[in-house]
Amino acid sequence: MEDEEMEKKVQQYLQRKGFRLTELALQEERNRISTSSVSDVALARSENDPARYYDGYSKLRTWAYSSLDQYKHELLRVLYPVFIHSFMDLVAEGHTQEARSFFHTFREDHELMHSRDLQKLEGILSPSHLEEMELARSLRQNQFRIKLCEYSYELLLQYLQKTQALVVLGIINERTTFDVSPGQPSLISDDTDVVALVGTKKDLAKQINLKEVHWGLLEDSVEERMEKTLLESDKTEAESKDADAEDNNKRKSSEGGKQGGSVKKVKKDKIAGATGKTNKSETSIVSVAPRVKPELTLPVIPVEVEQSILEDLRNRAQLNSLALPSVSFYTFLNTHNGLNCSSISHDGSLVVGGFSDSSVKVWDMSKIGQPPKTSSPQGENGLSQGERTSASDYGKRPYTLFQGHSGPVYSAAFSPFGDFLLSSSSDSTIRLWSTKLNANLVCYKGHNYPVWDVQFSPVGHYFASASHDRTARIWSMDKIQPLRIMAGHLSDVDCVQWHVNCNYIATGSSDKTVRLWDVQTGECIRMFIGHRSMVLSLAMSPDGRYMASGDEDGTIMMWDLSSGRCVSPLGGHSSCVWSLAYSCEGALLASGSADCTVKLWDVASSTKVLKTDDTSTNRLRMLKTLRTKSTPVYTLRFSRRNLLFAAGALSLGS
């Protein structure tokens, strides 16, 4: 009697808390125990026979595919977690042959969406592999979050209640968590993270994304000072033109009414022209983004560099959906598949390539096509024999050769002003080179595995690196040890990008997530979930509010840093997106891909809609596709004058 009352109280508690799946599991267990017709043989079979996984998944699969079309695409989302964990449970129980048969029988169900994961899991042949393989550990330690509408969720509960599929019920209870939304089911193409791997805490990403992010620009930044100087210069120029016109008008007023009228007309035209120029500068250059204080000690900018930036701002082209940028494409020839990475300086004058033979080569565009220089006697130019050997020998080669790495070079990046160069390699080191001295200055050692990416901060001096050891690190040029270590990704950190105010860095990983880190605390303050393959490229908008990320499948996603929400999912490329770049005013986004194309996207129209309706999700409008003959696009960069530079290696097999 006491047992019955206890069972009723437990059932009432589960109903009150809404634990439907637990309640069903309890009922099934009670029925299984109380049913006298279940023989010992059948019970032993249900607990130990590997066929129970095959039967459970097969029945669930048949039911999902025979459901109404309106809900079928949602119910099919349950199959992948059940398939993966059924396979790994079979391996863990020692049923290796049955696990292989189960895997190959049903893998086609998930080949389209999860081919990369399936290729890795195919190598699991013993229980020890489950502990050794990083992906398997991640899958077994975390849960899948599945998005369903309320009615689809009810259908799933009814199915589990009618069938005695305890194996399936156990996997769903233990390995999944449901994000149930009221109303009609979502469209098939609406969400990219309908089945996502998250931490054991159900709302891990939501908790992280509640932290505050100051996404504005730096107070008293170089460009802000230059913009103010430019505006003052334009106003002074307009005033001087007004004064000159008035003087001319006074001098010529006695020559006759007709001529005076002509002078007045000229004066009016000049004033209108000057005013129009000033207004253009104010609307296109002065940013309305909030200002924030820097968390890092910023370096002093030389006067000559400030003058160069001022000149670039004066001559900056204003881009929009009707005024697209000019593009300068640098093509590497005869690389024999040895080029791993490329980068371009801010003004396009220098191009660097990192090669599989551990070399780094820099081309000066101003010297391309010039006749070879005659070699000067030793010591005449003040360089030692060693420096002359590492520098360009124009009689033999048109580039500067940097040697020092002991493995393939995977990333290279110029400093904002082109005087320094960083390179990272499979030898787990980062090297700093001087483009003026043509020499290696520092070798930074800290990572334990290959370093996939390295990027200078927008102000120089500081740089960030991403590695196979699943960490990103922040360095300064004057210290050989990292200042911060960002740890938290579940797999390789493949790319890294600085925020425009230097207070944050973003990292993209093979775990299909993007994270935003605070450089002062080293803490993860945003987690962006939505990609279905490894994230290969990142870019920050000039105002610091948005971030774009590209992955291995060709998908591009634009994120709002303040909310952590994807605002514009794109799918314009058919292969890896290797590079992304925003134009200087933030109106356009350029993407470069292994499919041998550069695509231009209209960002301004999408962000205008977002400002009026924060709940909407928009798809960016593709403005133009620029195709190369047979050259995958390795890197993109907008100059300060809004000229788009791109580079890649000719691939005859493409």
Side-chain angles (χ1 to χ4, degrees):
M1 189 67 180
E2 292 180 358
D3 292 340
E4 292 180 359
E5 291 179 359
M6 181 63 69
E7 288 180 359
K8 289 181 180 180
K9 290 181 179 180
V10 170
Q11 189 169 0
Q12 290 173 359
Y13 173 79
L14 294 177
Q15 290 176 351
R16 187 167 62 253
K17 291 295 184 179
F19 297 148
R20 297 290 304 279
L21 292 177
T22 307
E23 182 185 353
L24 289 174
L26 183 62
Q27 291 178 0
E28 294 293 342
E29 184 68 15
R30 186 188 303 128
N31 293 336
R32 185 178 65 83
I33 295 174
S34 62
T35 303
S36 58
S37 61
V38 178
S39 64
D40 293 339
V41 177
L43 184 61
R45 179 183 184 279
S46 65
E47 292 180 350
N48 301 314
D49 191 351
R52 69 191 190 279
Y53 289 100
Y54 185 97
D55 295 341
Y57 178 81
S58 179
K59 291 177 180 177
L60 178 66
R61 178 179 180 272
T62 302
W63 171 78
Y65 275 102
S66 61
S67 301
L68 292 174
D69 291 342
Q70 186 178 3
Y71 305 100
K72 181 190 297 185
H73 67 277
E74 285 200 339
L75 296 173
L76 290 176
R77 297 169 186 170
V78 183
L79 294 182
Y80 181 64
V82 175
F83 168 76
I84 287 296
H85 286 290
S86 295
F87 167 69
M88 291 192 293
D89 287 350
L90 282 169
V91 174
E93 293 173 7
H95 304 299
T96 306
Q97 293 298 328
E98 291 82 356
R100 305 305 304 163
S101 175
F102 175 84
F103 185 86
H104 290 293
T105 301
F106 298 112
R107 71 173 296 170
E108 288 186 2
D109 295 347
H110 316 286
E111 194 73 48
L112 181 63
M113 301 299 299
H114 306 281
S115 59
R116 184 177 177 85
D117 288 348
L118 294 179
Q119 290 172 4
K120 292 181 179 180
L121 294 172
E122 193 174 14
I124 297 177
L125 301 175
S126 67
S128 62
H129 292 171
L130 295 174
E131 298 298 327
E132 296 170 1
M133 182 178 290
E134 187 176 329
L135 175 61
R137 287 203 312 271
S138 174
L139 290 169
R140 291 178 72 82
Q141 292 172 2
N142 299 299
Q143 289 183 316
F144 283 94
R145 185 189 67 227
I146 304 174
K147 289 186 177 181
L148 296 178
C149 74
E150 195 170 1
Y151 189 73
S152 296
Y153 184 65
E154 290 294 333
L155 289 176
L156 178 63
L157 293 180
Q158 291 175 15
Y159 168 79
L160 294 174
Q161 188 173 9
K162 289 179 181 178
T163 62
Q164 296 185 357
L166 295 179
V167 171
V168 174
L169 184 59
I171 291 175
I172 292 177
N173 263 325
E174 184 180 356
R175 305 295 187 180
T176 65
T177 179
F178 291 97
D179 185 359
V180 181
S181 58
Q184 294 297 315
S186 60
L187 296 177
I188 297 177
S189 59
D190 270 359
D191 290 325
T192 56
D193 59 342
V194 290
V195 180
L197 188 67
V198 296
T200 51
K201 295 181 180 179
K202 180 179 178 180
D203 54 350
L204 174 62
K206 291 182 179 179
Q207 289 181 358
I208 292 177
N209 293 347
L210 290 176
K211 299 174 183 177
E212 191 174 7
V213 173
H214 302 285
W215 54 267
L217 304 178
L218 282 177
E219 290 181 350
D220 196 32
S221 64
V222 177
E223 290 209 3
E224 186 178 10
R225 294 200 305 271
M226 296 301 100
E227 288 168 1
K228 291 179 180 178
T229 303
L230 185 59
L231 288 175
E232 292 173 359
S233 174
D234 288 342
K235 290 178 181 178
T236 303
E237 184 180 349
E239 290 173 358
S240 65
K241 287 184 178 181
D242 292 346
D244 291 343
E246 289 177 0
D247 291 341
N248 291 335
N249 188 24
K250 290 178 181 178
R251 285 198 303 268
K252 298 180 180 181
S253 60
S254 60
E255 295 181 6
K258 183 176 180 180
Q259 188 174 0
S262 177
V263 171
K264 288 181 180 179
K265 185 175 185 301
V266 171
K267 173 188 171 186
K268 182 179 180 181
D269 291 342
K270 287 186 176 180
I271 293 176
T275 306
K277 183 176 180 182
T278 303
N279 289 338
K280 179 183 177 183
S281 300
E282 290 178 348
T283 57
S284 61
I285 297 178
V286 177
S287 175
V288 295
R291 265 35 182 188
V292 299
K293 294 181 179 180
E295 295 182 0
L296 297 174
T297 303
L298 302 183
V300 178
I301 307 299
V303 177
E304 60 271 16
V305 173
E306 290 190 351
Q307 293 298 323
S308 173
I309 295 176
L310 177 60
E311 185 65 22
D312 288 339
L313 292 180
R314 285 183 180 275
N315 294 280
R316 175 177 291 176
Q318 297 301 312
L319 303 180
N320 53 52
S321 59
L322 300 177
L324 301 182
S326 299
V327 184
S328 177
F329 198 102
Y330 300 137
T331 304
F332 290 82
L333 303 176
N334 304 316
T335 60
H336 306 292
N337 296 322
L339 182 69
N340 292 332
C341 62
S342 178
S343 185
I344 305 169
S345 62
H346 274 264
D347 59 359
S349 62
L350 299 175
V351 179
V352 62
F355 291 84
S356 297
D357 62 2
S358 77
S359 65
V360 178
K361 300 175 183 178
V362 178
W363 283 262
D364 188 339
M365 292 297 103
S366 64
K367 297 175 181 176
I368 295 292
Q370 290 186 358
K373 294 183 179 179
T374 57
S375 59
S376 58
Q378 180 177 355
E380 180 179 336
N381 56 4
L383 296 177
S384 67
Q385 182 65 33
E387 288 172 330
R388 281 172 42 335
T389 301
S390 66
S392 297
D393 185 351
Y394 293 110
K396 296 181 180 179
R397 55 176 179 253
Y399 54 81
T400 304
L401 176 63
F402 294 126
Q403 291 180 311
H405 285 293
S406 59
V409 178
Y410 291 124
S411 180
F414 287 103
S415 64
F417 314 119
D419 47 351
F420 296 104
L421 172 68
L422 285 170
S423 60
S424 66
S425 167
S426 67
D427 62 11
S428 74
T429 67
I430 303 164
R431 288 183 178 266
L432 178 69
W433 313 83
S434 171
T435 56
K436 295 181 179 179
L437 301 177
N438 295 329
N440 182 217
L441 304 179
V442 190
C443 179
Y444 302 94
K445 298 179 180 179
H447 286 289
N448 302 318
Y449 291 95
V451 184
W452 302 130
D453 193 19
V454 63
Q455 293 292 333
F456 264 109
S457 73
V459 297
H461 188 68
Y462 301 99
F463 59 93
S465 58
S467 171
H468 176 61
D469 62 15
R470 297 185 289 181
T471 68
R473 305 183 186 217
I474 295 177
W475 313 71
S476 66
M477 290 170 53
D478 57 348
K479 292 181 173 59
I480 61 172
Q481 296 298 327
L483 305 179
R484 295 286 184 276
I485 298 177
M486 281 68 174
H489 280 293
L490 303 176
S491 188
D492 295 32
V493 183
D494 298 301
C495 55
V496 64
Q497 187 61 255
W498 285 83
H499 192 272
V500 291
N501 63 24
C502 300
N503 291 338
Y504 309 102
I505 66 166
T507 55
S509 171
S510 293
D511 65 11
K512 307 174 188 176
T513 68
V514 180
R515 294 181 182 234
L516 190 71
W517 309 81
D518 189 316
V519 301
Q520 188 64 32
T521 64
E523 183 182 13
C524 177
I525 57 174
R526 285 291 181 273
M527 182 189 294
F528 305 97
I529 299 174
H531 284 285
R532 295 177 177 176
S533 59
M534 59 193 299
V535 182
L536 300 176
S537 54
L538 297 167
M540 293 286 180
S541 64
D543 64 357
R545 179 176 179 181
Y546 300 104
M547 175 182 66
S549 57
D551 65 22
E552 188 182 34
D553 292 339
T555 302
I556 303 169
M557 306 187 79
M558 195 169 79
W559 309 88
D560 186 337
L561 296 186
S562 59
S563 65
R565 184 171 57 89
C566 176
V567 295
S568 294
L570 309 175
H573 287 285
S574 59
S575 188
C576 310
V577 180
W578 281 337
S579 186
L580 294 166
Y582 279 94
S583 60
C584 294
E585 75 292 321
L588 303 180
L589 175 68
S591 59
S593 170
D595 63 9
C596 302
T597 64
V598 174
K599 293 180 184 289
L600 299 175
W601 308 86
D602 182 9
V603 176
S605 61
S606 178
T607 54
K608 284 179 182 177
V609 174
L610 287 171
K611 290 174 183 177
T612 59
D613 182 10
D614 275 344
T615 62
S616 63
T617 299
N618 304 279
R619 295 186 180 274
L620 297 189
R621 181 166 61 98
M622 187 172 65
L623 299 174
K624 194 166 187 179
T625 298
L626 306 171
R627 303 183 184 278
T628 65
K629 282 188 175 180
S630 186
T631 305
V633 184
Y634 283 32
T635 186
L636 294 170
R637 178 184 292 281
F638 277 96
S639 72
R640 292 192 186 92
R641 301 189 182 193
N642 259 342
L643 173 64
L644 179 58
F645 294 105
L650 181 66
S651 176
L652 297 179
S654 296

